[in-house]
Amino acid sequence: MANAATLLHRLAQRERGIIQGSCGLSGTFNVQILQELDRPERWVRLEWTCEMPNQLARRASAMTEIGALEALQVAPVQVLPHRELSGVTGSQRLPWADLGVARDIVYEVTHVDIGGADVNLSEVDDAIRRYVSAARSASGNLRAEAWRLDGHANHSTLLFVWDTRAARDRYAAGADTHRFRAQIARGLGAPYDDRLYRRID
């Protein structure tokens, strides 16, 4: 685990430099490495940038770290490019502040997979927008975003950042979460997958 954290840290540093070189002083960009709380052998790399990354160029510039990481893997890495779900920005959207590595902050990453020919995706999207809006005004919320997987209108990823695990648990058990899950339950194409992480880099 320590070896993986060190290698991912090096990759994050390298990629921040590449992104900054592409974006200059304009746009918002960062790379964050998250480790799952309940299963620390699982990781997520969050990256937002002003342009679509050139994965081949990045791989060539980081072959040492990537090769060492591949030796530790028990499953292939998934690269899932997303864009913001329309209608969830507006006045409620906060600037992308770098919160640093604070011990109590919890990152919640939820994948929502919608299936079935009779499901109205626009209604699901509206439910997601309402849910994100409610999270942004919830006690302890530091960030709430909804993203759509490129090329897949039925796959969304929600990112919530909470100042404590208790704040996240209150929201997860609250009326807004129960309402949201009830609204999308009929259309779920895979189990509702919400995972909690801490940032390590």
Side-chain angles (χ1 to χ4, degrees):
M1 230 74 74
N3 288 342
T6 299
L7 291 167
L8 287 164
H9 171 74
R10 289 180 191 159
L11 272 176
Q13 287 184 312
R14 185 186 296 270
E15 293 194 346
R16 286 187 195 111
I18 293 172
I19 296 171
Q20 187 170 12
S22 300
C23 296
L25 297 177
S26 62
T28 305
F29 58 90
N30 205 340
V31 179
Q32 295 181 352
I33 305 299
L34 309 181
Q35 183 178 30
E36 191 170 343
L37 294 180
D38 294 330
R39 296 185 63 181
E41 72 276 12
R42 297 201 297 199
W43 309 80
V44 164
R45 186 187 73 199
L46 291 179
E47 176 180 315
W48 52 97
T49 179
C50 62
E51 63 178 19
M52 182 63 69
N54 183 333
Q55 297 294 341
L56 291 177
R58 291 190 186 188
R59 186 176 180 86
S61 72
M63 279 306 297
T64 300
E65 289 89 351
I66 289 173
L69 272 174
E70 287 175 343
L72 298 174
Q73 290 171 9
V74 295
V77 171
Q78 283 187 299
V79 179
L80 302 173
H82 286 69
R83 299 181 191 276
E84 285 184 311
L85 178 65
S86 62
V88 296
T89 55
S91 60
Q92 285 188 308
R93 186 174 191 271
L94 299 172
W96 272 108
D98 192 329
L99 301 171
V101 184
R103 192 171 68 86
D104 293 335
I105 291 179
V106 172
Y107 288 71
E108 178 181 359
V109 181
T110 301
H111 182 67
V112 179
D113 178 0
I114 301 298
D118 61 338
V119 177
N120 187 327
L121 283 176
S122 65
E123 291 179 359
V124 172
D125 287 351
D126 286 341
I128 290 173
R129 293 182 186 104
R130 289 190 295 270
Y131 187 50
V132 170
S133 178
R136 286 174 173 171
S137 60
S139 174
N141 183 262
L142 303 175
R143 188 89 195 176
E145 296 288 337
W147 299 322
R148 172 63 36 79
L149 182 61
D150 279 3
H152 299 273
N154 62 321
H155 289 267
S156 299
T157 297
L158 313 182
L159 170 69
F160 297 155
V161 185
W162 303 96
D163 61 4
T164 62
R165 174 72 179 264
R168 180 267 171 185
D169 290 346
R170 282 195 303 273
Y171 190 69
D176 290 307
T177 298
H178 283 276
R179 185 180 307 111
F180 172 65
R181 295 187 67 162
Q183 288 170 339
I184 67 170
R186 185 175 61 87
L188 284 177
Y192 187 86
D193 188 8
D194 54 340
R195 303 181 187 182
L196 302 183
Y197 298 82
R198 67 182 182 95
R199 182 178 171 189
I200 66 155
D201 183 275

